[in-house]
Coordinates of all heavy atoms in Angstrom, one line a residue:
M1 N 0.9 -1.1 0.0 CA 0.1 0.0 0.0 C 0.9 1.2 0.0 O 1.9 1.3 0.6 CB -0.9 0.0 1.3 CG -1.7 1.2 1.4 SD -2.9 1.1 2.7 CE -4.3 1.4 1.8
S2 N 0.5 2.3 -0.7 CA 1.3 3.5 -0.7 C 0.3 4.6 -0.7 O -0.8 4.6 -1.0 CB 2.1 3.5 -2.0 OG 1.2 3.4 -3.1
I3 N 0.9 5.7 -0.2 CA 0.1 7.0 -0.1 C 1.0 8.1 -0.7 O 2.2 8.2 -0.5 CB -0.1 7.3 1.4 CG1 -0.9 6.2 2.1 CG2 -0.9 8.7 1.6 CD1 -0.9 6.2 3.6
L4 N 0.3 8.9 -1.5 CA 1.1 10.0 -2.1 C 0.3 11.4 -1.9 O -0.8 11.4 -2.0 CB 1.1 9.8 -3.6 CG 2.0 10.6 -4.4 CD1 3.5 10.3 -4.2 CD2 1.7 10.4 -6.0
S5 N 1.1 12.4 -1.4 CA 0.5 13.7 -1.2 C 1.4 14.7 -1.7 O 2.6 14.6 -1.8 CB 0.3 13.9 0.3 OG 1.6 13.8 1.0
I6 N 0.8 15.9 -2.1 CA 1.6 17.0 -2.7 C 2.2 17.8 -1.6 O 1.6 18.2 -0.7 CB 0.6 17.9 -3.6 CG1 0.0 17.0 -4.7 CG2 1.3 19.0 -4.0 CD1 -1.0 17.8 -5.5
A7 N 3.6 17.9 -1.7 CA 4.4 18.8 -0.8 C 4.5 20.2 -1.4 O 4.6 21.2 -0.6 CB 5.6 18.1 -0.5
S8 N 4.7 20.2 -2.7 CA 4.8 21.5 -3.4 C 4.5 21.3 -4.9 O 4.3 20.2 -5.2 CB 6.1 22.2 -3.2 OG 7.1 21.6 -3.9
A9 N 4.6 22.3 -5.7 CA 4.3 22.2 -7.1 C 5.2 21.1 -7.8 O 4.8 20.4 -8.7 CB 4.5 23.5 -7.8
K10 N 6.5 21.0 -7.4 CA 7.4 20.1 -8.1 C 7.9 19.0 -7.2 O 8.6 18.2 -7.6 CB 8.6 20.9 -8.6 CG 8.2 22.1 -9.5 CD 8.5 21.7 -10.9 CE 8.2 22.9 -11.8 NZ 7.9 22.7 -13.1
S11 N 7.5 19.0 -6.0 CA 7.9 18.0 -5.0 C 6.7 17.3 -4.4 O 5.7 17.9 -4.1 CB 8.8 18.7 -3.9 OG 9.1 17.8 -2.9
Y12 N 6.8 16.0 -4.2 CA 5.7 15.2 -3.6 C 6.3 14.3 -2.5 O 7.5 14.1 -2.5 CB 5.0 14.3 -4.7 CG 4.6 15.0 -5.9 CD1 5.4 15.5 -6.9 CD2 3.2 15.5 -5.9 CE1 5.0 16.3 -8.0 CE2 2.7 16.3 -7.0 CZ 3.6 16.6 -8.0 OH 3.2 17.4 -9.1
T13 N 5.4 13.8 -1.6 CA 5.8 12.9 -0.7 C 5.1 11.6 -0.8 O 3.8 11.6 -1.0 CB 5.5 13.4 0.8 OG1 6.2 14.6 0.9 CG2 5.9 12.5 1.8
V14 N 5.7 10.5 -0.9 CA 5.1 9.2 -1.0 C 5.5 8.3 0.1 O 6.7 8.3 0.5 CB 5.5 8.6 -2.4 CG1 7.0 8.3 -2.6 CG2 4.7 7.3 -2.7
S15 N 4.6 7.5 0.6 CA 4.9 6.6 1.8 C 4.5 5.2 1.3 O 3.5 4.9 0.7 CB 4.1 6.9 2.9 OG 4.5 8.2 3.4
F16 N 5.4 4.2 1.6 CA 5.2 2.8 1.2 C 5.2 2.0 2.5 O 6.1 2.1 3.4 CB 6.3 2.3 0.3 CG 6.4 3.1 -1.0 CD1 7.5 3.8 -1.3 CD2 5.3 3.0 -1.9 CE1 7.6 4.6 -2.4 CE2 5.5 3.7 -3.1 CZ 6.6 4.5 -3.4
T17 N 4.2 1.2 2.7 CA 4.1 0.3 3.9 C 4.8 -1.0 3.8 O 5.1 -1.6 4.8 CB 2.6 0.0 4.2 OG1 2.0 -0.6 3.1 CG2 1.8 1.3 4.5
S18 N 5.3 -1.3 2.6 CA 6.1 -2.4 2.3 C 7.1 -2.2 1.2 O 7.0 -1.2 0.5 CB 5.3 -3.7 2.0 OG 4.6 -3.4 0.8
R19 N 8.1 -3.0 1.1 CA 9.1 -2.9 -0.1 C 8.4 -2.9 -1.4 O 7.5 -3.6 -1.6 CB 10.1 -4.0 0.0 CG 11.1 -3.9 -1.1 CD 12.1 -5.1 -1.1 NE 13.1 -5.0 -0.1 CZ 14.2 -4.2 -0.2 NH1 14.3 -3.4 -1.2 NH2 15.1 -4.2 0.7
V20 N 8.8 -1.8 -2.3 CA 8.3 -1.8 -3.6 C 9.4 -1.7 -4.7 O 10.5 -1.3 -4.3 CB 7.4 -0.6 -3.8 CG1 6.1 -0.7 -2.9 CG2 8.1 0.7 -3.6
T21 N 9.1 -2.1 -5.8 CA 10.1 -2.0 -7.0 C 9.4 -0.9 -7.8 O 8.2 -0.9 -8.3 CB 10.2 -3.2 -7.7 OG1 10.8 -4.2 -6.9 CG2 11.2 -3.1 -9.0
V22 N 10.3 0.1 -8.1 CA 9.8 1.2 -9.0 C 10.9 1.4 -10.1 O 12.0 1.7 -9.7 CB 9.5 2.5 -8.2 CG1 10.7 2.9 -7.4 CG2 9.0 3.6 -9.1
G23 N 10.5 1.2 -11.3 CA 11.5 1.2 -12.4 C 12.6 0.2 -12.1 O 12.4 -1.0 -12.0
T24 N 13.8 0.7 -12.1 CA 15.0 -0.2 -11.8 C 15.4 -0.2 -10.4 O 16.4 -0.8 -10.0 CB 16.2 0.3 -12.7 OG1 16.5 1.7 -12.4 CG2 15.9 0.2 -14.2
A25 N 14.7 0.5 -9.5 CA 15.0 0.6 -8.1 C 14.1 -0.1 -7.2 O 12.9 -0.4 -7.4 CB 15.0 2.1 -7.7
Q26 N 14.7 -0.6 -6.1 CA 13.9 -1.2 -5.0 C 13.9 -0.3 -3.8 O 15.0 0.2 -3.4 CB 14.4 -2.5 -4.6 CG 14.2 -3.6 -5.7 CD 14.3 -5.0 -5.1 OE1 14.6 -5.2 -4.0 NE2 14.2 -6.0 -6.0
L27 N 12.7 0.0 -3.2 CA 12.7 1.0 -2.1 C 12.1 0.2 -0.9 O 11.0 -0.4 -1.0 CB 11.7 2.1 -2.5 CG 12.1 2.9 -3.7 CD1 11.1 4.0 -4.0 CD2 13.4 3.6 -3.4
P28 N 12.8 0.3 0.3 CA 12.2 -0.4 1.4 C 11.0 0.5 1.9 O 10.8 1.7 1.4 CB 13.4 -0.2 2.4 CG 14.6 0.1 1.6 CD 14.1 0.8 0.4
A29 N 10.2 -0.1 2.8 CA 9.1 0.6 3.3 C 9.6 1.9 4.0 O 10.7 1.9 4.5 CB 8.4 -0.2 4.4
G30 N 8.8 3.0 3.8 CA 9.2 4.3 4.4 C 8.6 5.4 3.7 O 7.8 5.3 2.7
E31 N 8.9 6.6 4.1 CA 8.5 7.9 3.5 C 9.6 8.4 2.7 O 10.7 8.5 3.0 CB 8.1 8.8 4.7 CG 7.5 10.1 4.0 CD 6.9 11.0 5.1 OE1 6.7 10.5 6.3 OE2 6.7 12.2 4.8
Y32 N 9.1 8.9 1.4 CA 10.1 9.4 0.4 C 9.6 10.7 -0.1 O 8.4 11.0 -0.3 CB 10.3 8.4 -0.7 CG 10.9 7.1 -0.3 CD1 10.1 6.1 0.2 CD2 12.3 6.9 -0.5 CE1 10.8 4.9 0.7 CE2 12.9 5.7 -0.1 CZ 12.1 4.7 0.4 OH 12.7 3.6 0.9
S33 N 10.6 11.6 -0.5 CA 10.4 12.8 -1.2 C 10.5 12.3 -2.7 O 11.5 11.6 -3.0 CB 11.3 13.8 -0.8 OG 11.3 14.8 -1.8
L34 N 9.6 12.8 -3.6 CA 9.6 12.3 -4.9 C 9.8 13.6 -5.8 O 9.1 14.6 -5.6 CB 8.3 11.7 -5.3 CG 8.1 11.2 -6.8 CD1 7.0 10.2 -6.8 CD2 7.6 12.3 -7.6
K35 N 10.8 13.7 -6.6 CA 11.1 14.8 -7.5 C 11.4 14.4 -9.0 O 12.1 13.4 -9.1 CB 12.2 15.7 -7.0 CG 11.9 16.4 -5.8 CD 13.1 17.4 -5.4 CE 12.7 18.0 -4.1 NZ 13.8 18.9 -3.6
V36 N 10.7 15.0 -9.9 CA 11.0 14.7 -11.3 C 12.2 15.5 -11.7 O 12.2 16.7 -11.5 CB 9.8 15.0 -12.2 CG1 10.1 14.7 -13.7 CG2 8.5 14.2 -11.8
N37 N 13.2 14.8 -12.3 CA 14.4 15.5 -12.8 C 14.7 15.0 -14.2 O 15.3 14.1 -14.4 CB 15.5 15.1 -11.8 CG 16.9 15.9 -12.2 OD1 16.8 16.8 -13.0 ND2 17.9 15.5 -11.5
G38 N 14.2 15.8 -15.2 CA 14.3 15.4 -16.6 C 13.5 14.1 -16.9 O 12.4 14.0 -16.6
S39 N 14.3 13.0 -17.3 CA 13.6 11.8 -17.7 C 13.8 10.8 -16.5 O 13.6 9.7 -16.7 CB 14.1 11.3 -19.0 OG 15.6 11.0 -18.8
N40 N 14.1 11.3 -15.3 CA 14.2 10.5 -14.1 C 13.4 11.0 -13.0 O 13.0 12.1 -13.0 CB 15.7 10.4 -13.7 CG 16.6 9.8 -14.6 OD1 16.5 8.7 -15.0 ND2 17.6 10.6 -15.1
V41 N 13.1 10.0 -12.0 CA 12.5 10.4 -10.8 C 13.5 10.1 -9.7 O 14.1 9.0 -9.7 CB 11.2 9.7 -10.6 CG1 10.6 9.9 -9.2 CG2 10.1 10.1 -11.6
V42 N 13.6 11.1 -8.8 CA 14.5 10.8 -7.6 C 13.6 10.6 -6.4 O 12.9 11.5 -6.1 CB 15.5 12.1 -7.4 CG1 16.4 11.8 -6.2 CG2 16.3 12.3 -8.7
F43 N 13.8 9.5 -5.7 CA 13.1 9.2 -4.5 C 14.2 9.4 -3.4 O 15.2 8.7 -3.4 CB 12.6 7.8 -4.4 CG 11.5 7.5 -5.4 CD1 11.7 7.1 -6.7 CD2 10.2 7.6 -5.0 CE1 10.7 6.8 -7.6 CE2 9.1 7.4 -5.8 CZ 9.4 6.9 -7.1
T44 N 13.9 10.2 -2.4 CA 14.8 10.4 -1.3 C 14.1 10.0 0.1 O 13.1 10.6 0.3 CB 15.3 11.9 -1.2 OG1 15.9 12.3 -2.4 CG2 16.3 12.1 -0.1
N45 N 14.7 9.1 0.7 CA 14.2 8.7 2.0 C 14.2 9.8 3.0 O 15.3 10.3 3.2 CB 14.9 7.4 2.5 CG 14.3 6.8 3.8 OD1 14.4 7.4 4.8 ND2 13.7 5.6 3.6
V46 N 13.1 10.0 3.5 CA 12.9 11.2 4.5 C 13.8 11.0 5.7 O 14.4 11.9 6.3 CB 11.5 11.5 4.9 CG1 11.4 12.5 5.9 CG2 10.7 11.9 3.6
D47 N 13.9 9.7 6.3 CA 14.6 9.5 7.5 C 16.1 9.4 7.3 O 16.9 10.0 8.0 CB 14.1 8.2 8.1 CG 12.6 8.3 8.6 OD1 12.2 9.4 9.1 OD2 11.9 7.3 8.5
S48 N 16.6 8.7 6.3 CA 18.0 8.4 6.1 C 18.7 9.4 5.1 O 19.8 9.5 5.0 CB 18.2 7.0 5.5 OG 17.7 6.9 4.2
N49 N 17.8 10.1 4.3 CA 18.2 11.1 3.3 C 19.0 10.4 2.1 O 19.7 11.0 1.4 CB 19.1 12.2 3.9 CG 19.0 13.5 3.1 OD1 17.9 13.8 2.5 ND2 20.1 14.3 3.1
K50 N 18.9 9.1 2.0 CA 19.5 8.4 0.9 C 18.6 8.5 -0.4 O 17.3 8.4 -0.2 CB 19.6 6.9 1.2 CG 20.8 6.7 2.2 CD 21.0 5.2 2.5 CE 22.0 5.0 3.5 NZ 22.2 3.5 3.8
S51 N 19.2 8.7 -1.5 CA 18.4 8.9 -2.7 C 18.5 7.8 -3.7 O 19.6 7.2 -3.8 CB 18.8 10.2 -3.4 OG 18.5 11.4 -2.7
V52 N 17.5 7.5 -4.4 CA 17.5 6.5 -5.5 C 16.9 7.2 -6.7 O 15.8 7.8 -6.6 CB 16.7 5.3 -5.1 CG1 16.6 4.2 -6.3 CG2 17.3 4.6 -3.9
T53 N 17.6 7.0 -7.9 CA 17.1 7.6 -9.2 C 16.7 6.4 -10.1 O 17.4 5.4 -10.2 CB 18.2 8.5 -9.8 OG1 18.6 9.5 -8.9 CG2 17.7 9.1 -11.1
T54 N 15.6 6.6 -10.8 CA 15.1 5.6 -11.7 C 14.5 6.4 -12.9 O 14.0 7.5 -12.8 CB 14.1 4.7 -11.0 OG1 13.8 3.6 -11.9 CG2 12.8 5.4 -10.7
P55 N 14.7 5.7 -14.1 CA 14.1 6.3 -15.3 C 12.6 6.3 -15.2 O 12.0 5.5 -14.6 CB 14.6 5.4 -16.4 CG 15.6 4.6 -15.8 CD 15.5 4.5 -14.4
V56 N 12.0 7.3 -15.9 CA 10.5 7.4 -15.9 C 10.1 8.0 -17.3 O 10.8 8.7 -17.9 CB 10.0 8.4 -14.9 CG1 10.5 9.8 -15.1 CG2 8.5 8.3 -14.7
K57 N 8.9 7.5 -17.8 CA 8.3 8.1 -19.0 C 7.2 9.1 -18.4 O 6.3 8.6 -17.7 CB 7.7 7.0 -19.8 CG 7.0 7.6 -21.0 CD 6.3 6.4 -21.8 CE 5.4 7.1 -22.9 NZ 4.6 6.1 -23.5
I58 N 7.4 10.3 -18.8 CA 6.4 11.3 -18.4 C 5.3 11.4 -19.5 O 5.6 11.7 -20.6 CB 7.1 12.6 -18.1 CG1 8.1 12.4 -16.9 CG2 6.0 13.7 -17.6 CD1 9.0 13.6 -16.7
E59 N 4.0 11.3 -19.1 CA 2.9 11.5 -20.0 C 2.1 12.6 -19.5 O 1.8 12.7 -18.3 CB 2.1 10.2 -20.1 CG 0.9 10.3 -21.0 CD 0.1 9.0 -21.1 OE1 0.6 7.9 -20.8 OE2 -1.1 9.1 -21.5
N60 N 1.7 13.5 -20.3 CA 0.8 14.6 -19.9 C -0.5 14.3 -20.7 O -0.6 14.1 -21.9 CB 1.4 16.0 -20.4 CG 2.5 16.4 -19.5 OD1 2.4 16.4 -18.3 ND2 3.7 16.6 -20.2
V61 N -1.6 14.4 -19.9 CA -2.9 14.2 -20.4 C -3.7 15.4 -20.5 O -3.2 16.5 -20.1 CB -3.7 13.1 -19.5 CG1 -3.0 11.8 -19.5 CG2 -3.8 13.6 -18.1
D62 N -4.8 15.4 -21.2 CA -5.6 16.7 -21.4 C -6.3 17.2 -20.1 O -6.4 18.3 -20.0 CB -6.6 16.4 -22.5 CG -6.0 16.1 -23.9 OD1 -4.9 16.6 -24.2 OD2 -6.7 15.4 -24.7
K63 N -6.7 16.3 -19.3 CA -7.5 16.7 -18.1 C -6.7 16.4 -16.8 O -6.0 15.4 -16.7 CB -8.8 15.9 -18.1 CG -9.8 16.4 -17.2 CD -11.1 15.6 -17.3 CE -12.1 16.0 -16.2 NZ -13.3 15.3 -16.3
K64 N -6.8 17.3 -15.9 CA -6.1 17.2 -14.6 C -6.7 16.0 -13.9 O -7.9 15.7 -13.9 CB -6.3 18.4 -13.7 CG -5.4 19.6 -14.2 CD -5.5 20.7 -13.1 CE -4.6 21.8 -13.6 NZ -4.6 22.9 -12.6
Y65 N -5.8 15.2 -13.2 CA -6.2 14.1 -12.3 C -6.8 14.8 -11.0 O -6.2 15.7 -10.5 CB -5.0 13.3 -11.9 CG -4.4 12.5 -13.1 CD1 -3.2 12.8 -13.6 CD2 -5.2 11.4 -13.6 CE1 -2.7 12.1 -14.7 CE2 -4.7 10.7 -14.7 CZ -3.5 11.0 -15.2 OH -3.0 10.3 -16.3
G66 N -8.0 14.3 -10.6 CA -8.6 14.9 -9.4 C -7.9 14.4 -8.2 O -7.8 15.2 -7.2
T67 N -7.3 13.2 -8.1 CA -6.6 12.7 -6.9 C -5.3 12.0 -7.4 O -5.3 11.6 -8.6 CB -7.4 11.8 -6.1 OG1 -7.8 10.6 -6.9 CG2 -8.8 12.4 -5.6
T68 N -4.4 11.9 -6.5 CA -3.1 11.2 -6.8 C -3.5 9.7 -6.6 O -4.1 9.3 -5.6 CB -2.0 11.6 -5.9 OG1 -1.8 13.1 -6.2 CG2 -0.8 10.8 -6.2
S69 N -3.0 8.9 -7.5 CA -3.1 7.4 -7.3 C -1.9 6.7 -7.8 O -1.1 7.2 -8.8 CB -4.3 6.9 -8.2 OG -4.2 7.2 -9.6
V70 N -1.6 5.6 -7.2 CA -0.5 4.8 -7.5 C -1.0 3.4 -8.0 O -1.8 2.8 -7.4 CB 0.4 4.6 -6.2 CG1 1.6 3.7 -6.6 CG2 0.9 5.9 -5.7
E71 N -0.6 3.1 -9.3 CA -1.1 1.8 -9.8 C 0.1 0.8 -9.6 O 1.3 1.1 -10.0 CB -1.3 1.9 -11.3 CG -2.4 3.0 -11.7 CD -3.8 2.5 -11.2 OE1 -4.1 1.2 -11.3 OE2 -4.6 3.3 -10.8
T72 N -0.3 -0.4 -9.0 CA 0.7 -1.4 -8.7 C 0.3 -2.7 -9.3 O -0.8 -3.0 -9.6 CB 1.0 -1.6 -7.2 OG1 -0.2 -2.0 -6.6 CG2 1.4 -0.3 -6.6
T73 N 1.4 -3.6 -9.5 CA 1.1 -5.0 -9.9 C 1.9 -5.8 -8.9 O 3.0 -5.6 -8.5 CB 1.8 -5.2 -11.3 OG1 1.2 -4.2 -12.3 CG2 1.6 -6.6 -11.8
Q74 N 1.2 -6.9 -8.5 CA 1.9 -7.9 -7.5 C 2.5 -9.0 -8.4 O 1.8 -9.6 -9.3 CB 0.8 -8.5 -6.6 CG 1.3 -9.2 -5.5 CD 2.1 -8.3 -4.5 OE1 1.7 -7.2 -4.3 NE2 3.1 -8.9 -3.8
Q75 N 3.8 -9.2 -8.2 CA 4.6 -10.2 -8.9 C 5.2 -11.1 -7.8 O 6.3 -10.8 -7.3 CB 5.6 -9.6 -9.8 CG 5.1 -8.7 -10.9 CD 6.1 -8.0 -11.8 OE1 7.2 -7.8 -11.3 NE2 5.8 -7.7 -12.9
G76 N 4.5 -12.2 -7.5 CA 5.0 -13.1 -6.5 C 4.9 -12.4 -5.2 O 3.8 -11.9 -4.8
N77 N 6.0 -12.3 -4.4 CA 6.0 -11.5 -3.1 C 6.4 -10.1 -3.4 O 6.4 -9.3 -2.4 CB 7.0 -12.1 -2.2 CG 6.5 -13.5 -1.8 OD1 5.4 -13.8 -1.8 ND2 7.5 -14.4 -1.4
A78 N 6.6 -9.7 -4.6 CA 7.1 -8.2 -4.9 C 6.0 -7.4 -5.4 O 5.1 -7.9 -6.2 CB 8.2 -8.3 -5.9
T79 N 5.9 -6.2 -5.0 CA 5.0 -5.1 -5.5 C 5.8 -4.2 -6.4 O 6.8 -3.7 -6.0 CB 4.4 -4.4 -4.3 OG1 3.7 -5.3 -3.4 CG2 3.4 -3.3 -4.9
R80 N 5.3 -4.1 -7.6 CA 5.9 -3.2 -8.6 C 5.0 -2.0 -8.9 O 3.8 -2.2 -9.2 CB 6.1 -3.9 -9.9 CG 6.6 -3.1 -11.0 CD 7.1 -3.9 -12.3 NE 8.4 -4.6 -12.1 CZ 9.5 -4.0 -12.1 NH1 9.7 -2.7 -12.2 NH2 10.6 -4.7 -11.9
I81 N 5.5 -0.8 -8.9 CA 4.7 0.4 -9.2 C 4.8 0.5 -10.7 O 5.8 0.6 -11.3 CB 5.3 1.6 -8.6 CG1 5.2 1.5 -7.0 CG2 4.6 2.9 -9.1 CD1 5.7 2.7 -6.3
D82 N 3.6 0.5 -11.3 CA 3.4 0.7 -12.8 C 3.4 2.2 -13.1 O 4.1 2.6 -14.1 CB 2.2 0.0 -13.3 CG 2.2 -1.4 -13.1 OD1 3.2 -2.1 -13.3 OD2 1.2 -2.1 -12.7
D83 N 2.6 3.0 -12.4 CA 2.6 4.3 -12.7 C 2.0 5.1 -11.5 O 1.5 4.5 -10.6 CB 1.8 4.7 -14.0 CG 0.3 4.3 -13.8 OD1 -0.4 4.9 -13.1 OD2 -0.2 3.5 -14.6
I84 N 2.3 6.4 -11.5 CA 1.8 7.4 -10.5 C 1.2 8.5 -11.2 O 1.8 9.1 -12.1 CB 2.9 7.9 -9.6 CG1 3.7 6.7 -8.8 CG2 2.5 8.9 -8.5 CD1 4.9 7.1 -8.1
Q85 N -0.1 8.7 -10.9 CA -0.9 9.9 -11.5 C -0.9 10.9 -10.5 O -1.4 10.8 -9.3 CB -2.3 9.4 -11.9 CG -2.2 8.3 -12.8 CD -3.6 7.6 -13.0 OE1 -4.6 7.9 -12.4 NE2 -3.7 6.5 -13.8
L86 N -0.4 12.1 -10.8 CA -0.2 13.2 -9.8 C -1.4 14.1 -9.8 O -1.8 14.8 -10.7 CB 1.1 14.1 -10.2 CG 2.4 13.2 -10.2 CD1 3.5 14.2 -10.7 CD2 2.6 12.6 -9.0
G87 N -2.1 13.9 -8.7 CA -3.4 14.8 -8.5 C -3.1 16.2 -8.6 O -2.1 16.8 -8.1
G88 N -4.1 16.9 -9.2 CA -4.0 18.4 -9.4 C -3.1 18.8 -10.6 O -2.9 19.9 -10.8
S89 N -2.7 17.7 -11.3 CA -1.8 18.0 -12.5 C -2.3 17.1 -13.7 O -3.2 16.3 -13.5 CB -0.3 17.7 -12.1 OG -0.2 16.3 -12.2
T90 N -1.7 17.3 -14.8 CA -2.0 16.5 -15.9 C -0.8 15.5 -16.2 O -0.7 14.9 -17.2 CB -2.1 17.4 -17.2 OG1 -0.9 18.1 -17.4 CG2 -3.3 18.3 -17.1
T91 N 0.0 15.2 -15.1 CA 1.1 14.4 -15.2 C 1.0 12.9 -14.7 O 0.4 12.8 -13.6 CB 2.3 15.0 -14.5 OG1 2.5 16.3 -14.9 CG2 3.6 14.2 -14.6
K92 N 1.4 12.0 -15.6 CA 1.5 10.6 -15.2 C 2.8 10.2 -15.4 O 3.5 10.4 -16.4 CB 0.5 9.8 -16.1 CG 0.5 8.3 -15.9 CD -0.6 7.7 -16.9 CE -0.7 6.2 -16.6 NZ -1.7 5.6 -17.6
L93 N 3.4 9.5 -14.4 CA 4.7 9.0 -14.3 C 4.6 7.5 -14.6 O 4.0 6.7 -13.8 CB 5.4 9.2 -13.0 CG 5.5 10.7 -12.6 CD1 6.1 10.8 -11.1 CD2 6.2 11.5 -13.5
E94 N 5.2 7.0 -15.7 CA 5.2 5.5 -16.0 C 6.5 4.9 -15.9 O 7.5 5.5 -16.3 CB 4.7 5.4 -17.5 CG 3.2 5.8 -17.7 CD 2.8 5.7 -19.1 OE1 3.6 5.4 -20.1 OE2 1.6 5.9 -19.3
F95 N 6.5 3.8 -15.2 CA 7.7 3.1 -14.9 C 7.7 1.7 -15.6 O 6.7 1.1 -15.7 CB 7.9 2.9 -13.4 CG 7.8 4.2 -12.6 CD1 6.7 4.6 -12.0 CD2 9.0 4.9 -12.5 CE1 6.6 5.8 -11.3 CE2 9.0 6.0 -11.7 CZ 7.8 6.5 -11.1
N96 N 9.0 1.3 -16.1 CA 9.1 0.0 -16.7 C 9.5 -1.1 -15.8 O 10.1 -0.9 -14.9 CB 10.1 0.1 -17.9 CG 9.6 1.0 -19.1 OD1 8.4 1.0 -19.3 ND2 10.4 1.7 -19.8

């Protein structure tokens, strides 16, 4: 399970209750700052300040997302994030 909230216009906070795989990175459970940096997303652990960068495909849609949502896929014991739709924006972050 994950929770995503807007911290500012370009920065978001995401919390994971269990380990997740996002793009090419694995993130332990915890709270992270999320920032888009070009064609990458940087996740920084709020407690340890350790950062992980992973490639992302940024898609802009015509209509703003009403709420932020995280789409995941369960693969065995692993949870993989497929995409994050940023509420209040037209931005969708897609991970391979």
Side-chain angles (χ1 to χ4, degrees):
M1 174 174 236
S2 57
I3 302 166
L4 190 72
S5 61
I6 296 176
S8 71
K10 304 256 184 205
S11 176
Y12 303 85
T13 300
V14 62
S15 297
F16 303 111
T17 57
S18 61
R19 177 183 281 285
V20 295
T21 301
V22 58
T24 58
Q26 290 197 1
L27 302 175
E31 185 173 343
Y32 293 84
S33 168
L34 177 157
K35 291 185 182 180
V36 178
N37 185 8
S39 61
N40 293 303
V41 172
V42 180
F43 292 89
T44 303
N45 185 289
V46 172
D47 294 324
S48 69
N49 210 33
K50 290 184 181 178
S51 293
V52 175
T53 302
T54 189
V56 67
K57 178 183 173 192
I58 301 169
E59 181 181 338
N60 290 305
V61 297
D62 294 330
K63 190 175 178 182
K64 285 186 180 182
Y65 293 108
T67 60
T68 297
S69 63
V70 179
E71 299 292 325
T72 61
T73 303
Q74 194 68 32
Q75 297 176 335
N77 292 335
T79 301
R80 173 171 287 283
I81 296 177
D82 297 319
D83 64 67
I84 300 173
Q85 300 166 3
L86 303 176
S89 77
T90 59
T91 304
K92 179 178 178 180
L93 307 176
E94 295 181 347
F95 301 96
N96 292 327

